[in-house]
Amino acid sequence: MINAPVLFGVGGYVPDAVLDNEALSRIVETSDEWITTRTGIRERRILAPGSGGACMAAVAARRAIEDAGIPPESITHILYATCTPDAMCPPTSCTLADKLGLSGVFTADVNVACSGYIYGLTLTRGLLAAEPEATVLLVAADVMSSRVNWQDRSTCVLFGDAAGAAVFRAGGKGKGILKDALVSSNGALGPLLHVGGGGSATEFKPGDVIGPEFFIRMEGREVYKHAVRCMVKCSRDILERNGLGIEDVDLFIPHQANLRIIEAVGSKLGFPAEKVFCNVQIRGNTSAASIPLAFYEAREAGLIRPGMTVLFATFGGGFTWGSALLQL
């Protein structure tokens, strides 16, 4: 019997710069009322241009390592979930390792958009099963402000920048255990939410003008429909296979896509509002960082206590989706 991964520490980070709806209305034709009515978002944090996600990831990672009470050099594996890497090459996980003063460690980037953290939890389970002596640093960070078209009000109002991190080991006395995780995907639906430009399937050369295909394109209504359906299903599936019901979950932390999706998923699952954590109003959609940042901020707010069962659910481009159960 393989031991469940043990959570030892968590960390999070958001940039200092706040972009609220009033300021955003001076960039694109929109208003605070238009944005809040449709998304529930009032403001989001924006990273300084050219800084790179690894800068945010390093802060969140150091906080998670400090929270775990371990020396940085005990980290053996780094998984970095992002769809906005600092560069096409090298992998941003390598850049992060260098920022943490680490070398000779396993590093890998994971790009499944907003589902990155849950996919990372699944990979963490596999790594610790194969190498029980390992210490895994799972980091999720996205600089969504670098990949939104600031002339497209249907997408630019949604996203913010952030990072979240967690440290896992195969055993020992930690802060909780990862009971289970499941993930899924459907590549046929990828065109509904995508960034086409910049990849090897898009021909471009020096001197070409960067067009809108280099930025997020989304069919909002279709994404909403699939996001709600998939998050509800994977939440029910993971509870069923662990012999649990909605009443056994103390806190539900869904991907912070927008308030309408969060409320729809919570309602269909039967969660009372007080059991659904939400920070999208002040963070926006931070993609892969969404769930780990929400968990970190929920704990900082005193909402996470020993003995609780926490359910995560996510949905992202690909399409990808998944859920996870954390027992504290």
Side-chain angles (χ1 to χ4, degrees):
M1 179 87 178
I2 299 172
N3 291 332
V6 179
L7 174 67
F8 274 79
V10 295
Y13 175 77
V14 294
D16 292 332
V18 176
L19 179 62
D20 62 22
N21 291 345
E22 182 180 354
L24 190 53
S25 69
R26 295 193 290 270
I27 298 173
V28 66
E29 185 179 350
T30 188
S31 67
D32 176 66
E33 181 183 8
W34 191 92
I35 298 170
T36 54
T37 299
R38 289 162 176 79
T39 71
I41 299 168
R42 301 192 303 270
E43 63 182 46
R44 69 287 295 149
R45 299 298 181 95
I46 303 296
L47 186 66
S51 298
C55 294
M56 296 191 300
V59 178
R62 291 189 187 102
R63 288 174 176 171
I65 292 169
E66 181 180 358
D67 188 43
I70 61 173
E73 56 270 21
S74 66
I75 299 296
T76 60
H77 295 68
I78 296 176
L79 294 174
Y80 190 109
T82 187
C83 64
T84 56
D86 286 14
M88 291 291 289
C89 186
T92 312
S93 53
C94 290
T95 304
L96 174 60
D98 182 59
K99 287 183 179 294
L100 297 176
L102 303 175
S103 63
V105 299
F106 172 104
T107 61
D109 286 19
V110 181
N111 180 1
V112 284
C114 301
S115 302
Y117 186 73
I118 303 301
Y119 268 71
L121 291 177
T122 302
L123 293 170
T124 296
R125 297 177 78 204
L127 285 171
L128 291 175
E131 301 183 47
E133 300 305 315
T135 298
V136 178
L137 172 64
L138 172 58
V139 183
D142 267 310
V143 188
M144 300 307 293
S145 62
S146 69
R147 285 296 174 265
V148 296
N149 180 349
W150 291 101
Q151 296 176 351
D152 177 10
R153 72 172 182 174
S154 68
T155 56
C156 72
V157 303
L158 296 172
F159 296 98
D161 305 333
V167 174
F168 286 94
R169 284 177 164 172
K173 185 174 176 57
K175 296 176 172 64
I177 63 170
L178 176 61
K179 290 189 58 153
D180 198 4
L182 65 83
V183 294
S184 193
S185 68
N186 184 350
L189 300 174
L192 297 176
L193 174 57
H194 75 290
V195 180
S200 59
T202 303
E203 183 179 355
F204 64 101
K205 59 185 182 300
D208 284 353
V209 175
I210 294 177
E213 70 274 9
F214 281 75
F215 303 95
I216 296 170
R217 291 175 167 183
M218 182 174 66
E219 298 293 335
R221 291 183 180 179
E222 288 298 309
V223 171
Y224 173 90
K225 179 176 65 176
H226 288 287
V228 172
R229 181 186 302 139
C230 291
M231 290 172 69
V232 168
K233 185 179 186 305
C234 69
S235 296
R236 287 173 175 162
D237 287 348
I238 200 170
L239 290 174
E240 181 179 353
R241 81 179 192 181
N242 284 272
L244 299 174
I246 294 297
E247 67 279 2
D248 297 308
V249 176
D250 298 293
L251 189 64
F252 178 47
I253 302 182
H255 169 49
Q256 305 290 300
N258 69 56
L259 192 58
R260 289 177 59 214
I261 290 177
I262 293 168
E263 290 177 343
V265 173
S267 176
K268 286 181 180 295
L269 288 172
F271 282 115
E274 62 271 18
K275 281 193 173 185
V276 181
F277 182 80
C278 191
N279 66 355
V280 71
Q281 299 94 328
I282 58 172
R283 301 294 182 233
N285 180 346
T286 57
S287 189
S290 169
I291 286 178
L293 177 68
F295 182 81
Y296 173 74
E297 293 191 339
R299 201 185 72 161
E300 292 293 290
L303 301 177
I304 303 295
R305 298 177 298 278
M308 294 180 72
T309 296
V310 180
L311 171 65
F312 300 140
T314 191
F315 180 87
F319 284 160
T320 58
W321 60 92
S323 56
L325 279 170
L326 191 67
Q327 180 66 57
L328 304 175

